[in-house]
Amino acid sequence: MIGAGLANMAAAVYLIQEGHWRGDQITFYGADMHGANDGGPTTDFTSEYWNENHPMENTTGYVARGGRMLNYRTYVDLMDLLDRIPSATEPGMTAAEDTHDFDAHHRTYDKARLLQGGKGIIDGGKLGLNNKDRVLLSKLVMMPDDDETKLDNVSIAEYFKDDPHMFQTNFWYMWETTFAFRTQSSAQELRRYMHQMIYEFTQIEHLVGVNRTRYNQFESIMLPLIKYLEDQGVTFIDNRIVTDWDFADSELQDDITVTGIHVKNVDSGEEEVVAIDDDTAVIFTNGSITDSATMGDYDTPAPENMEYGISAALWKKATERFYNLGTPDKFFNDRKSSEWLSFTLTTKDHLLLNEITRITTQVPGNALNSFLSTTPITPLGQKDVNMSIVVHHQPHFTTQKPNESVIWGYFLYPRRTGEFVHKQYIKMTGKEMAQELIGQLSKVDPGPNNIKNKEAEIMDSIINNIPVYMPYASALFNNRAKTDRPEVLPEHSTNLAFTGEFAEQPYQMIFTEQSAVRSGEIAAYHFAGVSMDNLVDTPRYDKDPKTLLRATKKMFS
């Protein structure tokens, strides 16, 4: 296994349970043992992201580079996987039962999906679509699967080029911030989302289809997988980067057979070549949305790491040898289309949390709020989203103290300039991001109880706020052609499979949890000789007349 993220861990579970492989037949090589699904105290990250050239002054509080929303109706492979392993925090439950139990007691119903300065809570149920918007969206939904290549290399902006109104609708603001699409993202990918998430179209203003884990994604998803695989005897070799391949020479130049991998020790810099024999499969996660990520702290912005993603660099070396393995540069050579910035804010009391509860009129645990600018900041002179925050059910970490709060947020466009801190978001410290957040909240609720009146007290309550710059966070949505991602099982490959968000699966939308697990499942079944008929059935809501009728009615709201 090259890469120790969700996709390859899923492959390992299926190899053991469905293929009846022994755990000691599986070895992971990875720079870390969690992939994009991380989360924990800041001290867990210091060795990965800070060094003598960029010391971290404040090593308190928590950090998660991203946040995960689940959806039982669509994430069918993920839930199948989690039902195969014990929970890491709830005795007697599988990881799936743990999530179902928690979610049943903390259902999502967002009352403040959209917030706008001077107006407060916006009625997101009014999508704001006009007839041209409806026609173009309908064409996407009704487009047959076989016609999908017509959207090769077509961006969302190009698809709606004669309809700039689309990007001023409540629908777009909610879709953009729920899934992290941009106008320059792939229209082909938007089509897949509209197909597989069409039922969510009818309830997007409240996010009632969103399901959440009990704790952060590491402790509720990755930790159960790690513990299960360790108990099965799987070998994890941490702090390793695979830098190059050895391939077999063949009379048939198209044959793809790995004979060795070059493994670099991150700590020592030493490199070894691991031989791959004829009975060994190589399962490779060929890209990560958290590659080249960097972190700042309360007093330091997150620096830019200009390195090409490490997993994508290895993918690129394979494409230089073989023609049918995709185009890494489409995803990893266009940061303007893929970068964003997140922050994890930890407080020593619940003052900020209580203020957000008051402003949004809802308790923590089901709030996903987007703040809209009242000033034109896009090239078309439209208002657009400034910042999104997620207030999870507390505690979000098992070691979190009862008096502590953790809030997560992100800037989809990190090069934009703040309204209250006059810097680009990417240049802000954690402190300045907290000040910008308070300022945005003050615009939403400008009355006598304005949160600005408590700014000094709130700032004093902050333990830490960690900015994280991710140059490839939205790379999985980058504009592309269908052949720019390799298939999980490329033609002519004898022992190499690709997994994760940058592996092509017919008509599957690319979403971190679901598609990652399914790619691992496909790879495992192939190498273990298990029939693909045993794959978890993928629902097709775009074929359901009742769902389509409800979506049509919603378009006219």
Side-chain angles (χ1 to χ4, degrees), residues 257-418:
T257 302
V258 181
T259 59
I261 56 175
H262 297 240
V263 182
K264 180 181 179 180
N265 186 314
V266 176
D267 295 326
S268 69
E270 295 179 356
E271 191 166 295
E272 64 173 324
V273 178
V274 177
I276 306 296
D277 61 32
D278 292 342
D279 294 324
T280 299
V282 179
I283 301 179
F284 169 41
T285 300
N286 59 305
S288 172
I289 60 175
T290 52
D291 270 358
S292 303
T294 55
M295 293 184 182
D297 56 32
Y298 193 68
D299 299 307
T300 311
E304 288 191 66
N305 177 0
M306 300 308 295
E307 290 181 1
Y308 201 83
I310 55 173
S311 48
L314 183 62
W315 173 20
K316 194 168 185 175
K317 288 187 176 181
T319 65
E320 291 167 355
R321 174 76 179 263
F322 302 101
Y323 70 89
N324 63 333
L325 300 184
T327 315
D329 280 355
K330 282 287 190 75
F331 307 97
F332 291 89
N333 205 32
D334 183 11
R335 292 185 175 209
K336 290 182 179 179
S337 297
S338 63
E339 64 181 3
W340 47 273
L341 196 68
S342 74
F343 61 89
T344 312
L345 193 156
T346 309
T347 62
K348 62 185 177 184
D349 59 35
H350 300 313
L351 177 58
L352 176 58
L353 196 68
N354 290 339
E355 284 295 292
I356 293 174
T357 298
R358 178 182 64 80
I359 292 169
T360 62
T361 70
Q362 59 191 39
V363 297
N366 56 7
L368 177 63
N369 306 316
S370 299
F371 304 110
L372 304 188
S373 169
T374 56
T375 56
I377 54 175
T378 70
L380 296 175
Q382 304 155 345
K383 64 180 183 291
D384 202 354
V385 174
N386 272 353
M387 175 193 300
S388 295
I389 62 169
V390 179
V391 183
H392 297 283
H393 180 270
Q394 306 292 309
H396 192 48
F397 297 88
T398 55
T399 56
Q400 191 177 325
K401 297 175 182 176
N403 57 296
E404 292 177 341
S405 299
V406 175
I407 297 168
W408 182 85
Y410 79 100
F411 303 96
L412 188 58
Y413 297 95
R415 305 284 171 176
R416 291 180 178 171
T417 300

Side-chain angles (χ1 to χ4, degrees), residues 59-129:
T59 55
T60 55
Y62 294 89
V63 63
R65 291 178 292 187
R68 302 291 174 262
M69 297 184 296
L70 310 184
N71 188 293
Y72 296 149
R73 295 175 65 174
T74 305
Y75 287 32
V76 288
D77 294 82
L78 173 69
M79 298 315 295
D80 176 78
L81 173 68
L82 296 183
D83 208 31
R84 294 169 176 265
I85 57 174
S87 166
T89 61
E90 308 305 307
M93 291 185 181
T94 66
E97 289 169 342
D98 173 11
T99 296
H100 279 289
D101 177 72
F102 173 79
D103 190 69
H105 293 92
H106 303 88
R107 298 311 306 267
T108 297
Y109 189 85
D110 197 342
K111 299 177 184 178
R113 180 66 186 85
L114 294 175
L115 300 172
Q116 184 171 349
K119 294 185 178 180
I121 297 174
I122 303 299
D123 183 2
K126 296 179 180 178
L127 300 185
L129 301 171

Side-chain angles (χ1 to χ4, degrees), residues 226-267:
I226 293 167
K227 288 187 173 183
Y228 170 80
L229 293 174
E230 286 178 339
D231 288 345
Q232 296 296 316
V234 170
T235 300
F236 289 96
I237 303 180
D238 200 356
N239 291 322
R240 299 295 190 277
I241 297 173
V242 179
T243 61
D244 209 345
W245 309 93
D246 291 331
F247 291 106
D249 291 325
S250 170
E251 293 181 4
L252 299 174
Q253 294 300 313
D254 290 345
D255 279 359
I256 305 170
T257 302
V258 181
T259 59
I261 56 175
H262 297 240
V263 182
K264 180 181 179 180
N265 186 314
V266 176
D267 295 326

Side-chain angles (χ1 to χ4, degrees), residues 301-546:
E304 288 191 66
N305 177 0
M306 300 308 295
E307 290 181 1
Y308 201 83
I310 55 173
S311 48
L314 183 62
W315 173 20
K316 194 168 185 175
K317 288 187 176 181
T319 65
E320 291 167 355
R321 174 76 179 263
F322 302 101
Y323 70 89
N324 63 333
L325 300 184
T327 315
D329 280 355
K330 282 287 190 75
F331 307 97
F332 291 89
N333 205 32
D334 183 11
R335 292 185 175 209
K336 290 182 179 179
S337 297
S338 63
E339 64 181 3
W340 47 273
L341 196 68
S342 74
F343 61 89
T344 312
L345 193 156
T346 309
T347 62
K348 62 185 177 184
D349 59 35
H350 300 313
L351 177 58
L352 176 58
L353 196 68
N354 290 339
E355 284 295 292
I356 293 174
T357 298
R358 178 182 64 80
I359 292 169
T360 62
T361 70
Q362 59 191 39
V363 297
N366 56 7
L368 177 63
N369 306 316
S370 299
F371 304 110
L372 304 188
S373 169
T374 56
T375 56
I377 54 175
T378 70
L380 296 175
Q382 304 155 345
K383 64 180 183 291
D384 202 354
V385 174
N386 272 353
M387 175 193 300
S388 295
I389 62 169
V390 179
V391 183
H392 297 283
H393 180 270
Q394 306 292 309
H396 192 48
F397 297 88
T398 55
T399 56
Q400 191 177 325
K401 297 175 182 176
N403 57 296
E404 292 177 341
S405 299
V406 175
I407 297 168
W408 182 85
Y410 79 100
F411 303 96
L412 188 58
Y413 297 95
R415 305 284 171 176
R416 291 180 178 171
T417 300
E419 292 184 77
F420 296 86
V421 178
H422 298 291
K423 290 182 177 180
Q424 289 181 313
Y425 299 129
I426 193 172
K427 296 179 180 178
M428 289 186 190
T429 65
K431 178 181 179 180
E432 290 166 336
M433 288 181 180
Q435 292 169 329
E436 180 71 18
L437 170 60
I438 293 169
Q440 293 287 344
L441 287 168
S442 73
K443 287 171 50 183
V444 174
D445 181 42
N449 294 321
N450 194 295
I451 190 174
K452 270 284 188 179
N453 298 333
K454 301 178 182 178
E455 181 170 10
E457 193 176 352
I458 291 171
M459 294 301 294
D460 186 58
S461 75
I462 296 174
I463 296 172
N464 210 347
N465 190 25
I466 303 294
V468 180
Y469 173 65
M470 289 172 283
Y472 307 122
S474 293
L476 65 170
F477 297 139
N478 275 17
N479 194 14
R480 52 146 182 104
K482 197 169 183 176
T483 56
D484 286 329
R485 292 191 296 238
E487 294 182 0
V488 176
L489 305 170
E491 189 176 6
H492 307 302
S493 176
T494 65
N495 68 343
L496 176 62
F498 292 80
T499 60
E501 302 106 328
F502 299 93
E504 176 66 21
Q505 302 174 58
Y507 317 118
Q508 284 280 328
M509 66 179 186
I510 292 299
F511 213 133
T512 327
E513 320 298 309
Q514 167 61 18
S515 58
V517 172
R518 190 169 185 85
S519 65
E521 186 183 4
I522 291 169
Y525 281 16
H526 172 72
F527 288 125
V530 177
S531 171
M532 295 297 171
D533 291 339
N534 293 337
L535 291 171
V536 177
D537 288 335
T538 300
R540 290 295 300 262
Y541 299 107
D542 57 316
K543 307 296 184 184
D544 177 33
K546 291 183 179 179

Side-chain angles (χ1 to χ4, degrees), residues 159-197:
Y159 181 79
F160 291 102
K161 64 183 178 182
D162 297 324
D163 182 27
H165 176 266
M166 167 58 70
F167 304 117
Q168 302 178 56
T169 63
N170 286 343
F171 162 74
W172 175 252
Y173 296 138
M174 291 185 288
W175 196 270
E176 176 185 39
T177 54
T178 299
F179 301 113
F181 274 96
R182 298 162 177 254
T183 57
Q184 61 264 56
S185 298
S186 165
Q188 196 173 86
E189 206 64 59
L190 176 62
R191 174 198 170 273
R192 292 191 182 190
Y193 269 70
M194 293 300 297
H195 272 236
Q196 288 197 261
M197 301 292 287

